Amino acid sequence: MASLKDVARLANVSLMTVSRAINSPELLKPETLKQVQQAIESLNYVPDFSARKIRGKSSRVSTVGVLALDTATTPFSVEIILSIEQTARQFGWSSFVVNITSSEDSERAVRQLLSQRPDGIIYTTMGLREVAIPETLHNNRLVLANCIDKNGQFPAYVPDDFNGQFNAVKRLIEKGYRNPLCLYIPQETLAGKMRREAVESAWASADLPLASLQQHHLELGDEHYLDVIALINSHFKNKKPNFDVIICGNDRIAFLAYQVLLSRGLRIPQDIAVLGYDNMIGVGELFYPPLSTVVLPHYQLGQQAALHIIEERQQNSVEYVACDLLERNSF
């Protein structure tokens, strides 16, 4: 492994200059900084920032490092990052975030995170998914939030999508809806598959015929959201809908469903009810009428993952965090 001296030698600068390039880059001339950075990249040097924390036990601050795959850059899931920061601060810990911008960027992000020598690592994703954990992280104290490890080696905190959807559909059944149009997120996603199973299970548990469920999955890709318009319109005959409620795979689908229904002169929920999923921050109450939806527990996912590190929890399983129905006015 390259050392600080190796970097200084290659860049033809002093050790102090290399140190400043790492810790206080604003103190260097741009050309000197670029020279040092090129040497660091060429040698694949990983700075050791742990020395900052070795100033006696009384001044040591424990640190949580967060690897964020789309989490910090997506408004719908940024609460995960916020809750990790707030929980860490509450217990006197510090936290920092390193973004993974693509699968090709993973190695760089991991190297950057490990250079800070965190006491624990949280791997987060936007949208529940399976992830492959890089080998370089395997010997660290690691917990996953909103994702699961393909090999099942690491503890994880994920939304309880099944029961969230099951309980919401059960409530629809209690209110008398019997002809749902189900527009799910892609079948290839973990949540899409699980939520469909939950709808069918709730329907069967009420002794209702599965044939009365009209079910569609969107295809992968944001460009397919507009397919919702044609799907809903295909379920009208002589200008009359053959459904009494639309069960939407997420609030974005619900947003499009509202537009189609209202453009046809239908009232929500008097004529057709709508159920969303996710509770997109700052959006649900902007629907008119306000959208009833199932809440993805992003804040709780981050909080529990942070506490897993801080409290040194020993379980190595997948823990499911409740997804509650937020009943507003759309059914």
Side-chain angles (χ1 to χ4, degrees):
M1 181 181 292
S3 68
L4 201 70
K5 287 182 180 179
D6 296 327
V7 175
R9 189 180 302 114
L10 182 61
N12 197 27
V13 297
S14 68
L15 287 172
M16 180 61 74
T17 300
V18 177
S19 179
R20 283 177 179 163
I22 294 169
N23 299 307
S24 305
E26 69 281 359
L27 298 179
L28 296 181
K29 293 179 180 179
E31 57 269 23
T32 304
L33 178 60
K34 184 178 180 180
Q35 194 174 331
V36 175
Q37 288 174 336
Q38 287 176 340
I40 288 174
E41 186 174 342
S42 175
L43 293 170
N44 200 26
Y45 172 67
V46 177
D48 184 356
F49 291 105
S50 61
R52 292 180 183 176
K53 302 190 289 185
I54 311 175
R55 300 173 188 242
K57 292 182 180 178
S58 61
S59 65
R60 185 183 189 278
V61 177
S62 298
T63 303
V64 175
V66 183
L67 271 172
L69 179 57
D70 301 329
T71 319
T73 55
T74 308
F76 318 138
S77 56
V78 74
E79 268 199 315
I80 297 177
I81 305 297
L82 176 64
S83 64
I84 292 171
E85 179 186 354
Q86 291 182 340
T87 304
R89 190 189 314 144
Q90 180 185 351
F91 286 86
W93 285 51
S94 67
S95 63
F96 66 92
V97 179
V98 177
N99 286 303
I100 303 174
T101 57
S102 67
S103 56
E104 295 78 18
D105 186 50
S106 179
E107 187 177 330
R108 186 277 314 165
V110 169
R111 189 167 62 246
Q112 182 181 341
L113 179 133
L114 291 177
S115 73
Q116 302 288 335
R117 306 299 193 266
D119 299 283
I121 298 168
I122 300 174
Y123 193 110
T124 75
T125 62
M126 186 285 291
L128 178 63
R129 66 184 82 175
E130 281 189 336
V131 294
I133 301 300
E135 288 284 341
T136 48
L137 294 178
H138 282 206
N139 293 325
N140 292 270
R141 183 160 182 76
L142 176 69
V143 61
L144 313 185
N146 208 33
C147 54
I148 56 175
D149 167 36
K150 289 180 178 179
N151 298 316
Q153 292 179 256
F154 301 100
Y157 292 86
V158 301
D160 189 355
D161 273 308
F162 184 90
N163 283 308
Q165 187 76 82
F166 182 95
N167 291 330
V169 173
K170 184 178 176 182
R171 178 67 177 140
L172 287 176
I173 293 170
E174 289 171 358
K175 298 193 78 168
Y177 295 101
R178 293 295 183 271
N179 297 294
L181 173 59
C182 306
L183 304 177
Y184 303 117
I185 57 178
Q187 196 162 14
E188 295 89 341
T189 64
L190 291 178
K193 198 180 309 179
M194 200 176 303
R195 293 174 194 175
R196 176 172 181 152
E197 290 173 359
V199 170
E200 293 175 349
S201 180
W203 213 249
S205 69
D207 292 324
L208 295 170
L210 291 180
S212 63
L213 293 173
Q214 304 178 88
Q215 304 185 90
H216 304 273
H217 283 276
L218 296 190
E219 293 183 42
L220 277 173
D222 285 353
E223 68 274 15
H224 290 292
Y225 272 100
L226 291 178
D227 295 348
V228 167
I229 298 170
L231 279 171
I232 296 175
N233 284 326
S234 70
H235 283 271
F236 281 80
K237 188 173 183 180
N238 297 324
K239 297 184 179 181
K240 292 186 178 181
N242 63 2
F243 54 90
D244 57 5
V245 59
I246 302 180
I247 298 174
C248 301
N250 60 26
D251 293 351
R252 297 169 73 182
I253 294 173
F255 177 77
L256 286 162
Y258 264 54
Q259 294 184 73
V260 175
L261 296 175
L262 295 173
S263 71
R264 283 179 165 271
L266 295 168
R267 299 167 301 165
I268 303 168
Q270 294 91 334
D271 299 320
I272 302 292
V274 180
L275 170 66
Y277 208 110
D278 287 359
N279 191 36
M280 287 165 53
I281 297 174
V283 174
E285 292 181 352
L286 299 181
F287 284 79
Y288 186 75
L291 176 68
S292 295
T293 188
V294 180
V295 180
L296 275 180
H298 284 142
Y299 193 93
Q300 291 81 3
L301 293 175
Q303 181 184 57
Q304 291 304 311
L307 289 174
H308 186 99
I309 298 291
I310 294 166
E311 295 176 350
E312 299 184 356
R313 296 177 181 175
Q314 297 304 308
Q315 77 262 26
N316 204 41
S317 56
V318 175
E319 300 293 321
Y320 292 91
V321 180
C323 300
D324 297 323
L325 173 63
L326 179 56
E327 199 166 337
R328 293 190 181 108
N329 304 111
S330 63
F331 69 71

